[in-house]
Amino acid sequence: MKYSRFVVGITLFLVADTLALANETLATIARPQLDANVEAERDSFLSRGYTPLFNGKDLSGWRNPYSHGEASVVDGEIHLKADNKFFLVTEQKYSNFRLSVDIHLPEGPSNSGVMFRCHVDEDAEKKVYGYQAECDGSERRWSGGLFDEARRRWIWPSTKGRSTTQFRAHEEESQKFFAEPRVRDALNRNGWNRYTITCIDDVITIELNGVQTVRFRDAMDSSGFIGIQHHGEKGQTYRFRNLFIKELPLIPASEHVSLTEQEPVSIKRINDKVTLIDFGKVAFGNIVMPVPADGRGTVNVHFGEKIKEGCIDRSPPGTVRYGMTSVRRGQQRGNWIVPTPVDDRNIQQSGRMNANPPAVLTPSAWQPVMPFRWIEIEGLEADFAFDQICRRAAFSKTWNDDASSFECSDETLNRIWDLCKYSIKATTFAGVYVDGDRERIPYEADAYLNQLSHYSTDDHVTMAARTFDWLMENGTWPTEWAPHMVFMAHAEWMNSGDTKWLQQRYESLKSKTLLHRSGDDGLVRSDELDRSRHDIVDWPQKERDGFVFTEINTVVNAFHIEALKQMAEMAMAVGKTEDADAFAARAELAVAAFQKTLFDEETGIYRDGVGTEHSSIHANFFPLAFGLVPEDKQAGVVDWLATKGMDCSVYAAQYFMDALFQNGGEHKALALMLADGDRSWKHMVNSGTTITWEAWEMKYKPNQDWNHAWGAAPANLLPRHVLGVQPVRPGWKRVLVRPCPGDLKFARGKVPSKHGPIHVDWNCESGFKLSVDLPEGVTANLDLPELEGAESVSVNGSAVSVTKKQNRWVLDGEFSGSILVEAN
């Protein structure tokens, strides 16, 4: 009996110890861990556009306005010692910025913080006053809170006796927020803590170790100094490192985009006052035109994306663009640059919509731009030199029209390719990927789809990595958009092979996996607010195929698991083997629960979530696209999806098509892309548009715009699946060539890679022939469609062995150089 109690006791001890270790491991991969290597951190910040506030050697640029307090530099850190409270402050003032500071509190009673937009009054007793991001070492745990030093005191959270009346209104709400475990436990009490503070106009945001603790509007101060605090505990040393700032706004187009002058395609005099000029395709820009030599009055320039009855549609639907600019004739010489009208939403840095990050600005030297194809000139005589009017169109400086090509036996598919490729080019105007012209804001899902297509169409792509950095600092609200950041990083690494770039960003990705919302079974939970707002499934809402939202959501968990799998792969690449094992184990746990709780054995497909019997196509094609469907269940899911139409948005269609192409459903995928009706790319291209739309039609999203690159998925689907070229090793060191012909007779094209173009030409009119030209340094695995009647496969005239996998023939070995494959 005593022995049994002893064994039980030991067992319970071991179980508790194992659980503690598991929780510790989970905490390590659930949020960013700060690197102890100061030089590595410095390189990381510099690579993301930050400027050091501290050079690591001395206190240049800093001053102590007090007669007490000691500041010194020790091993690349700033150490503060004092018997009374004091602040070390910068000599320079800052207005709009993103600031990062690491703080290490001493043991025992301690309190510190980061002052920002603060002020110094040399004659006052409390010399430094203003905004402070709180670092609270007490049991109160309000670290990351917003405090107004020597003025209004606690702003968020607020409390009786220590907050002014205006902030007491949210006392209960704010204290409840700071009691939430993720916020309450954000501070690493006995280690380093990263504070990230963003100020844009009157919007103040504070993040602590990757957890947002404050987003608050306050207009008390618009500029001031940066400061760090010693709270005054005698004998205590406060340590600070990695002090970096990025002044805002950034204007990526200044360095990465140029204006190209384009001549008119056609000029037509509509009546005795108006001339219509067509530039052939929509582009973001404005115009330059000769100044009339004489005359008085006003010339009106109308810009439009849409034509109606031979004239520019001046009342277009949704956010299809129209605008007019008036210019006065006078005694000028030379050329007018005629700017487009300014849409305030496209330039807002702190708009009224609290969820929106700042809009991406274009250079002021350009003058305003907008998307348009046509202009109407009103008020110029018929003999004016209209042929000398040019559009100044904005495109990426490095865009290469010759980097890619695609042609196949279906002419409509060729037109779809041309439309989608140009859509990617035309939407490079801002220097980062933005959501068309409604807000000019990057969104994570939009950016990922844009990124995939940019890699498939251009050969010098830096915009994807730049957009990734922008979004890591300006994230948006949907649940599934966060894992897209993991996808973006993985795709950039696969394309560039730049492990150093990945290493500098790896830790920050941990906050994007949704691990903080997962339970003991590994599955993500969605509370009431998540289900009503954050969990997006598809957009707009009417494109969700009747999806039923529950606490455990199939789509959200599919994204979560895919993010974990990619994190495991990237952790291994940057040498974080323990992280890699932990991510892989967590993914395995979640996959088991996913299959057990969400798959309906009776119907052979997935339910939308736990607690509903409804099965949408989204609950099935997302798991299929992410490789979550067990091999013995795949055919059933594919067959069920083959009975469905395009019951999803142009965004989700990327994943729907991926799922079909990857799992033997290429006939269905091509049929959907080319379908009659208004839910296909055939409809889009037949409409006459020259840039893809945000939705299939206006009736599905009445406020849609007509210049949205997330509608351009065929720009990557056709090279990746019909030509069949995808990287399987970072930096395109090894590729998979896996053509999916469907009903097509032939396809040929050029796919960009880091090492040069990959040429593919296949024909299945008589047997199957595949020609592949690989650049030096690239090897390929070959995967062919199984052909009826074919008995053997040869490469460059020599027979090769193959392995049959489902309805494909996988050629054994790797190949390089010029390859001719024949199946007969």
Side-chain angles (χ1 to χ4, degrees), residues 576-590:
K576 304 273 189 177
T577 53
E578 291 183 2
D579 280 9
D581 292 343
F583 277 122
R586 194 71 185 180
E588 186 177 355
L589 175 69

Side-chain angles (χ1 to χ4, degrees), residues 118-265:
C118 68
H119 307 281
V120 177
D121 184 347
E122 303 284 357
D123 299 325
E125 180 183 354
K126 296 182 177 181
K127 297 180 184 299
V128 177
Y129 62 94
Y131 296 129
Q132 180 180 203
E134 178 78 6
C135 188
D136 181 5
S138 74
E139 287 302 312
R140 182 181 53 186
R141 298 190 183 188
W142 282 1
S143 289
L146 177 59
F147 188 74
D148 193 2
E149 174 73 25
R151 276 192 316 204
R152 299 169 297 170
R153 296 172 293 176
W154 280 105
I155 296 177
W156 179 273
S158 59
T159 183
K160 183 178 181 181
R162 300 203 66 197
S163 299
T164 56
T165 304
Q166 68 187 106
F167 304 125
R168 291 288 308 285
H170 57 247
E171 179 177 352
E172 182 179 351
E173 175 193 358
S174 59
Q175 291 193 28
K176 182 179 178 182
F177 174 77
F178 272 81
E180 292 179 7
R182 190 164 184 248
V183 179
R184 181 195 66 205
D185 300 333
L187 184 79
N188 178 11
R189 179 59 184 85
N190 298 310
W192 285 100
N193 295 277
R194 177 155 297 164
Y195 279 77
T196 306
I197 301 153
T198 306
C199 293
I200 302 175
D201 299 337
D202 65 336
V203 178
I204 297 169
T205 305
I206 300 174
E207 300 165 46
L208 171 55
N209 294 328
V211 177
Q212 186 178 105
T213 54
V214 171
R215 184 180 174 88
F216 201 86
R217 304 190 81 109
D218 190 77
M220 177 66 77
D221 296 309
S222 60
S223 67
F225 302 105
I226 307 298
I228 51 179
Q229 178 192 24
H230 190 294
H231 197 250
E233 295 86 358
K234 186 175 181 178
Q236 297 281 45
T237 299
Y238 289 79
R239 300 161 60 189
F240 303 84
R241 70 180 189 187
N242 294 324
L243 294 91
F244 288 88
I245 197 165
K246 181 186 293 185
E247 294 192 74
L248 304 174
L250 299 178
I251 306 178
S254 297
E255 294 182 41
H256 303 287
V257 179
S258 59
L259 297 176
T260 300
E261 290 198 354
Q262 299 175 320
E263 296 179 351
V265 171

Side-chain angles (χ1 to χ4, degrees), residues 543 646 648-650 653 678-681 683 693 695-697 700:
E543 295 284 29
M646 191 76 85
C648 62
S649 74
V650 293
D678 60 9
R679 301 184 66 83
S680 71
W681 281 284
H683 168 68
W693 298 338
W696 297 119
E697 249 299 351
Y700 303 117

Side-chain angles (χ1 to χ4, degrees), residues 340-379:
T340 65
V342 176
D343 185 325
D344 288 341
R345 200 171 181 188
N346 288 342
I347 61 173
Q348 285 179 344
Q349 298 298 288
S350 56
R352 297 301 98 189
M353 291 179 66
N354 191 50
N356 277 18
V360 181
L361 303 179
T362 52
S364 58
W366 289 5
Q367 300 193 40
V369 299
M370 67 177 271
F372 67 95
R373 172 176 172 176
W374 294 274
I375 61 170
E376 287 175 358
I377 308 291
E378 183 180 16

